[in-house]
Amino acid sequence: DVKVTQSSRYLVKRTGEKVFLECVQDMDHENMFWYRQDPGLGLRLIYFSYDVKMKEKGDIPEGYSVSREKKERFSLILESASTNQTSMYLCASSLLAGGGNQPQHFGDGTRLSIL
Amino acid sequence: AQTVTQSQPEMSVQEAETVTLSCTYDTSENNYYLFWYKQPPSRQMILVIRQEAYKQQNATENRFSVNFQKAAKSFSLKISDSQLGDTAMYFCAFLKLYNNNDMRFGAGTRLTVKP
């Protein structure tokens, strides 16, 4: 089974702090994703990466950056945390297969609170 | 851009009964994939069922089945013999063929199975 591990289930930080959310997958997937999940809005894509050191902006990249130095690890960085970034953050991974029929596999999520 | 609409924010069903969750989507694509994901309370999001748009036959997975109406752009999920463990958020998702980096999610339906 695919295992996507997010480093923290719950995290509390203060406004202005630099925050790192880590995600590791063990299935050699090329694609990795960071989503934000808010009630009534579903999942919105922040960033994704299809290879080491490659990244693409999603729908809501403002205030975030990412890092992918190794294939199995994808980090989400909040450069200067703000209260409107309080949310559930989900990491996912998938194979880069032709035909696009590879489902995404998700981690448990990190519930981040910015005070 | 593709949009996915789940018009039922919350639903409930009695244990052992059948429930149908609605999903509609908007796209100009002819070939794509549709998914239903399940997110139990405080647990990982998992794939429930997948449908390829070029297949006319509706997908089934044990107690879960879909009613895929391509012309109407509708993709509903039917859960038969509901169990307490089916209590979860359910997300409908759309994925274009040959672009597995851009999965679009609906806002979700919170399903409660009552004993």
Side-chain angles (χ1 to χ4, degrees):
Chain A
D1 283 351
V2 177
K3 183 72 173 174
V4 179
T5 302
Q6 294 183 229
S7 53
S8 306
R9 290 296 302 272
Y10 301 94
L11 204 55
V12 179
K13 296 291 183 181
R14 296 208 173 272
T15 303
E17 280 192 70
K18 190 169 186 176
V19 180
F20 293 85
L21 303 184
E22 306 287 348
C23 175
V24 177
Q25 50 94 4
D26 66 356
M27 283 302 292
D28 205 35
H29 284 171
E30 292 87 358
N31 290 336
M32 294 190 75
F33 307 83
W34 275 107
Y35 291 94
R36 173 174 170 159
Q37 181 182 357
D38 298 291
L41 296 177
L43 278 70
R44 293 178 292 167
L45 183 64
I46 304 172
Y47 270 97
F48 70 90
S49 169
Y50 54 89
D51 201 353
V52 174
K53 297 192 185 297
M54 303 304 290
K55 61 184 179 184
E56 295 285 344
K57 292 180 180 179
D59 295 322
I60 51 166
E62 295 79 17
Y64 303 94
S65 62
V66 290
S67 172
R68 193 163 181 202
E69 297 297 319
K70 294 184 178 181
K71 190 175 185 180
E72 68 271 19
R73 185 180 297 270
F74 192 36
S75 303
L76 179 69
I77 304 156
L78 285 65
E79 297 290 344
S80 177
S82 64
T83 54
N84 63 11
Q85 292 178 309
T86 291
S87 187
M88 170 71 88
Y89 290 87
L90 293 176
C91 176
S93 71
S94 71
L95 283 169
L96 182 67
N101 65 348
Q102 296 299 327
Q104 295 181 14
H105 300 267
F106 287 84
D108 287 341
T110 296
R111 188 166 294 281
L112 175 64
S113 296
I114 306 297
L115 304 179
Chain B
Q2 284 66 230
T3 58
V4 179
T5 302
Q6 293 179 248
S7 58
Q8 305 149 316
E10 294 189 19
M11 293 188 73
S12 64
V13 63
Q14 291 296 133
E15 197 174 5
E17 294 189 349
T18 296
V19 64
T20 299
L21 308 184
S22 301
C23 173
T24 58
Y25 56 94
D26 183 26
T27 185
S28 58
E29 302 286 326
N30 189 45
N31 291 315
Y32 46 87
Y33 297 90
L34 295 163
F35 304 85
W36 278 99
Y37 279 89
K38 169 186 177 181
Q39 186 182 40
S42 301
R43 291 179 59 190
Q44 192 177 53
M45 179 130 56
I46 58 173
L47 180 67
V48 174
I49 199 164
R50 166 173 50 188
Q51 174 81 40
E52 292 90 343
Y54 59 87
K55 290 186 177 179
Q56 292 189 346
Q57 187 174 3
N58 288 325
T60 63
E61 287 286 342
N62 301 315
R63 297 182 296 107
F64 298 87
S65 61
V66 298
N67 182 6
F68 174 49
Q69 302 288 328
K70 191 173 183 180
K73 297 180 182 176
S74 170
F75 182 61
S76 60
L77 174 70
K78 186 172 83 171
I79 306 174
S80 304
D81 186 25
S82 297
Q83 301 176 359
L84 295 178
D86 295 333
T87 292
M89 280 289 288
Y90 287 82
F91 292 96
C92 178
F94 172 100
L95 185 64
K96 281 198 287 189
L97 195 66
Y98 301 118
N99 185 357
N100 63 340
N101 294 328
D102 189 17
M103 184 173 280
R104 296 286 159 170
F105 290 84
T109 296
R110 184 176 301 280
L111 176 67
T112 301
V113 180
K114 299 179 177 179

